[in-house]
Amino acid sequence: LRFAVRVVVLLSLLGLAAGGKLLVVPVDGSHWLSMLEVLDALRQRGRDVVVVAPEVSLHIKPSESFMMKMYPVPFTPEEMDENMQGFTKDLFEGGSFLERVIRLYQRSKKTSALYLATCTHLLHNRELIRYLEDSKFDAILTDPILPCGQILAEHLSVPSLFFLQQIPCGLEYQATQCPNPPSYVPRVFTGHTDHMTFLQRVRNVLYDIPNFFLCDAVFQPYAKLASEFLRRDVTVPGLLRQASVWLMKIDFVLHFPKPLMPNMVLVSGVNCASKKLGQ
């Protein structure tokens, strides 16, 4: 299974990275840990990989598998660690639907501010941007849960490949114009399956309403930043729509079946532990 998954990932990546140079703009945490395995495999096949990362991070560290270019950010490791632990706590803590939405909204604003500062300092680092412009990359690999990598892809005019599990508010559906019917695809916090009664479908629609407010709080500042940096009006869904391939870390064993677009490739198993799993 792991070999088959790796082949799918590499075929998807190498189609655009055949020229040799791949720029990676990662997201910290578990997002990075699963991406790291792909970068190791690419390096073994002779690809030149450059990772752009902030000086303060939880898991993104130098490696023999890639060249790392780092840039300063305006927060400490302690501030980042506290924020990450708080987000995990808020995400899994119980309570009513309204309590969970309000708690997640407040935490999302704090987390988004931290990551927005990271992206801002990357895009405003003139020396690093000049290096990226001169390096002539063939493609960018990034996690679109934060659109900073795609902003760079637009600036550098190179194809982008997304490596993700999901984006808050189901933004991947809007960006790819993928069908996302509330009568079929369960929403977060509902506890529904893909087989719902009529009343459950109504509830599914109502639970989707807060997503509009969450998305605005998280992604609107990136639209403003991208518009200033690219010197044209852009939206986050419009940016993400430019991706060539979406490598989705899901399958239909642990996730409910749902519609996909032709450029969405399932690569389940990349984020599993490197050991034999039980039955």
Side-chain angles (χ1 to χ4, degrees), residues 91 97 100 104 166 169 186-191 204 207-208 211:
L91 186 63
F97 172 71
R100 297 173 75 182
L104 188 59
Q166 61 183 8
C169 319
R187 297 316 194 239
V188 177
F189 297 151
T190 61
N204 209 40
Y207 272 48
D208 205 30
N211 278 338

Side-chain angles (χ1 to χ4, degrees), residues 126-145:
R126 295 185 179 180
E127 182 179 350
L128 179 55
I129 294 298
R130 191 177 302 112
Y131 164 80
L132 299 178
E133 292 170 344
D134 294 341
S135 296
K136 307 300 181 183
F137 290 99
D138 298 286
I140 285 183
L141 174 65
T142 186
D143 190 321
I145 193 172

Side-chain angles (χ1 to χ4, degrees), residues 29-192:
S30 60
H31 305 268
W32 166 251
L33 297 178
S34 56
M35 183 182 284
L36 183 58
E37 183 177 350
V38 177
L39 301 185
D40 290 339
L42 285 171
R43 183 61 177 175
Q44 292 172 13
R45 286 159 177 79
R47 306 298 164 180
D48 292 329
V49 178
V50 177
V51 175
V52 173
E55 292 179 350
V56 176
S57 65
L58 296 176
H59 300 294
I60 305 176
K61 307 299 179 186
S63 168
E64 294 181 356
S65 297
F66 51 81
M67 176 190 296
M68 176 170 282
K69 303 294 289 187
M70 307 188 78
Y71 57 94
V73 287
F75 50 82
T76 65
E78 291 75 20
E79 289 173 318
M80 167 166 273
D81 185 60
E82 185 279 330
N83 185 79
M84 290 299 178
Q85 291 187 20
F87 184 84
T88 302
K89 179 178 179 293
D90 290 342
L91 186 63
F92 292 102
E93 188 174 335
S96 68
F97 172 71
L98 183 59
E99 290 173 337
R100 297 173 75 182
V101 168
I102 293 175
R103 189 170 63 240
L104 188 59
Y105 176 79
Q106 293 173 338
R107 176 58 64 176
S108 295
K109 290 182 65 175
K110 294 179 182 179
T111 304
S112 180
L114 185 145
Y115 279 117
L116 181 66
T118 302
C119 185
T120 301
H121 278 68
L122 167 57
L123 298 179
H124 289 176
N125 191 316
R126 295 185 179 180
E127 182 179 350
L128 179 55
I129 294 298
R130 191 177 302 112
Y131 164 80
L132 299 178
E133 292 170 344
D134 294 341
S135 296
K136 307 300 181 183
F137 290 99
D138 298 286
I140 285 183
L141 174 65
T142 186
D143 190 321
I145 193 172
L146 297 176
C148 204
Q150 183 56 34
I151 297 173
L152 274 180
E154 290 290 301
H155 177 71
L156 300 176
S157 299
V158 296
S160 54
L161 302 103
F162 289 168
F163 188 73
L164 74 155
Q165 184 163 1
Q166 61 183 8
I167 308 179
C169 319
L171 198 61
E172 66 268 32
Y173 294 101
Q174 183 180 350
T176 59
Q177 298 181 315
C178 182
N180 188 30
S183 61
Y184 184 68
V185 181
R187 297 316 194 239
V188 177
F189 297 151
T190 61
H192 294 158

